[in-house]
Amino acid sequence: MAKPRGEMRNYSNCLVVRPAPGQKSRALLQYCGLTFQAAIGRNGRTVLKKEGDGKTPIASMRILDGFIRGDRLKNVRSPLNLKRVHKTMLWCDAPDHASYNRPVSAPFKASHEELMRQDGLYDICIVLDWNISTRSRNRGSAIFFHLIRPGYQPTAGCVGLSLRDMQRLLPHLRKGMTLKVI
């Protein structure tokens, strides 16, 4: 029996992100025979990721969990544990701090990112296991799979997808799947 047009079967445990021709900050994300445009780090990709370098790590990263702006997005379905974001939720990006590359709560004086962003990038934000399970100072923090800026503008090192494409993928994403940047 032929599968209906447009149906995605959940037979793959890996999303593959490969560079798009012509721009170092653009990529193609492939999953189950589908290809989506994506944004990556403003300075492209690297195998030697450093904090603040603007590069996306070339690596296989497990999907852990995520965050969602429940005040902006309703009825989002996913098998992932998506925590609703609130104003006190932050992510530490200070390499010398004990909470480096970990979620923290406001007030927090060390360098950090706000998870409740006004620009919508983290309205859906999937946490990838980059420098989390085993942490090293300055190896990079807050490497997420999140939404894009208009025109697929570069990220600071994450992988970004349009809201429409992310909503299409979310029902198929599970903890432990791999996002592989090549």
Side-chain angles (χ1 to χ4, degrees), residues 39-69:
I40 57 173
R42 67 183 172 274
N43 293 319
R45 305 164 299 124
T46 186
V47 293
L48 300 172
K49 176 72 182 148
K50 302 262 189 241
E51 184 68 41
D53 65 4
K55 295 179 181 179
T56 301
I58 296 173
S60 291
M61 299 170 275
R62 285 182 307 114
I63 292 175
L64 299 177
D65 54 27
F67 303 99
I68 188 163
R69 281 288 300 261

Side-chain angles (χ1 to χ4, degrees), residues 125-163:
C125 179
I126 308 301
V127 179
L128 301 172
D129 191 6
W130 175 258
N131 202 26
I132 292 178
S133 293
T134 55
R135 284 182 297 165
S136 297
R137 283 189 184 154
N138 274 319
R139 191 144 181 251
S141 63
I143 301 299
F144 301 137
F145 179 31
H146 61 68
L147 302 179
I148 59 161
R149 288 184 172 91
Y152 291 89
Q153 293 176 38
T155 70
C158 299
V159 176
L161 210 59
S162 72
L163 175 60

Side-chain angles (χ1 to χ4, degrees), residues 37-97:
Q37 290 187 47
I40 57 173
R42 67 183 172 274
N43 293 319
R45 305 164 299 124
T46 186
V47 293
L48 300 172
K49 176 72 182 148
K50 302 262 189 241
E51 184 68 41
D53 65 4
K55 295 179 181 179
T56 301
I58 296 173
S60 291
M61 299 170 275
R62 285 182 307 114
I63 292 175
L64 299 177
D65 54 27
F67 303 99
I68 188 163
R69 281 288 300 261
D71 60 323
R72 291 186 179 173
L73 299 173
K74 308 288 183 212
N75 302 320
V76 174
R77 296 175 39 199
S78 176
L80 286 173
N81 178 25
L82 298 176
K83 299 172 193 119
R84 188 177 172 134
V85 176
H86 53 83
K87 290 181 182 181
T88 62
M89 294 173 75
L90 311 171
W91 195 275
C92 178
D93 59 9
D96 292 329
H97 196 278

